[in-house]
Amino acid sequence: GAVVSQHPSRVICKSGTSVKIECRSLDFQATTMFWYRQFPKQSLMLMATSNEGSKATYEQGVEKDKFLINHASLTLSTLTVTSAHPEDSSFYICSARDYNRGLSPPLHFGNGTRLTVT
Amino acid sequence: ELKVEQNPLFLSMQEGKNYTIYCNYSTTSDRLYWYRQDPGKSLESLFVLLSNGAVKQEGRLMASLDTKARLSTLHITAAVHDLSATYFCVGETSGSRLTFGEGTQLTVNP
């Protein structure tokens, strides 16, 4: 079963509203989680690294004030798209690594969230 | 900064045929992954390659890694329609940061 749960799987919102996406590690603790964005027919681009108890690290070109990341617990990171616009419509995927699983800790991806801004 | 390039980006092949997808990366990568993505879905892990000369096989797919050439390959043997998907080569650098290739959209025709 899924070890990283992402919610919601799909969301449609109007321009100017904010949307929160949750990423949970179900049976392990994740001090670090990663958020990716994928536009249609394109590859995944790392947006930011979410760090439990501290500020997220954003990739170049990603607006911190627009994509708010909160990692308040060891099992939950949230991505809030603020004042969403149609160009923010995309597929957002989170990932986390389970460091309790030996020398080669597996990397798990959430099922993704399809955001459509109308 | 790690860069990952795949080719081809689009591949249309007939069932039963063999083909190889190539992945070149620019700098040292801690790990090299191959993922599969079906339309509208998240990523399915296929292989993790850790060291030079690593070869892994699962069903009709076989992945290899040559760290000296900075090249990984994903070989498809006797393709079937169910293999139609997009395949990503992904490099990892320190701190678990992943860099994705552009993806290879594979279509297997009957």
Side-chain angles (χ1 to χ4, degrees):
Chain A
V3 294
V4 172
S5 173
Q6 210 173 315
H7 179 79
S9 57
R10 291 179 178 271
V11 58
I12 300 173
C13 70
K14 293 185 177 180
S15 286
T17 61
S18 295
V19 174
K20 182 185 286 188
I21 303 170
E22 294 186 347
C23 180
R24 294 181 184 274
S25 56
L26 297 182
D27 58 359
F28 66 97
Q29 294 181 333
T31 56
T32 304
M33 292 185 177
F34 303 89
W35 288 96
Y36 296 86
R37 179 170 55 186
Q38 184 180 32
F39 290 110
K41 304 289 188 182
Q42 294 189 23
S43 188
L44 280 76
M45 297 294 293
L46 178 64
M47 298 175 65
T49 303
S50 172
N51 304 299
E52 188 269 335
S54 65
K55 292 182 180 180
T57 305
Y58 290 82
E59 295 300 304
Q60 192 173 4
V62 177
E63 298 177 58
K64 300 178 183 182
D65 295 333
K66 181 164 190 61
F67 298 100
L68 299 180
I69 291 174
N70 184 279
H71 195 152
S73 79
L74 287 170
T75 58
L76 174 64
S77 174
T78 60
L79 168 67
T80 301
V81 183
T82 63
S83 186
H85 290 284
E87 56 265 31
D88 298 324
S89 298
S90 187
F91 193 51
Y92 294 86
I93 306 176
C94 68
S95 75
R97 187 179 295 281
D98 183 359
Y99 286 98
N100 294 319
R101 297 280 298 278
L103 296 176
S104 186
L107 182 64
H108 302 290
F109 283 87
N111 284 330
T113 297
R114 173 77 57 194
L115 170 63
T116 303
V117 185
T118 62
Chain B
E1 181 186 346
L2 176 63
K3 295 190 188 302
V4 178
E5 294 185 352
Q6 285 178 239
N7 76 84
L9 300 183
F10 297 93
L11 176 57
S12 180
M13 57 191 296
Q14 284 188 310
E15 282 190 328
K17 299 293 186 182
N18 305 332
Y19 209 84
T20 300
I21 301 170
Y22 296 89
C23 172
N24 290 92
Y25 55 98
S26 61
T27 64
T28 302
S29 177
D30 292 345
R31 294 183 180 90
L32 200 293
Y33 301 85
W34 284 95
Y35 284 93
R36 167 180 172 148
Q37 186 180 38
D38 291 293
K41 303 292 185 181
S42 190
L43 300 168
E44 175 188 351
S45 178
L46 296 175
F47 301 106
V48 181
L49 303 168
L50 301 177
S51 59
N52 188 44
V55 176
K56 292 192 175 181
Q57 183 165 2
E58 182 71 35
R60 300 175 187 274
L61 301 177
M62 182 173 70
S64 68
L65 179 63
D66 180 344
T67 58
K68 294 181 180 178
R70 293 179 183 160
L71 170 68
S72 180
T73 62
L74 180 67
H75 186 73
I76 303 156
T77 302
V80 292
H81 179 68
D82 286 350
L83 290 179
S84 297
T86 298
Y87 293 85
F88 289 100
C89 172
V90 186
E92 179 178 353
T93 51
S94 61
S96 297
R97 296 181 78 253
L98 300 184
T99 301
F100 283 74
E102 306 98 316
T104 297
Q105 186 175 319
L106 171 67
T107 303
V108 181
N109 302 304

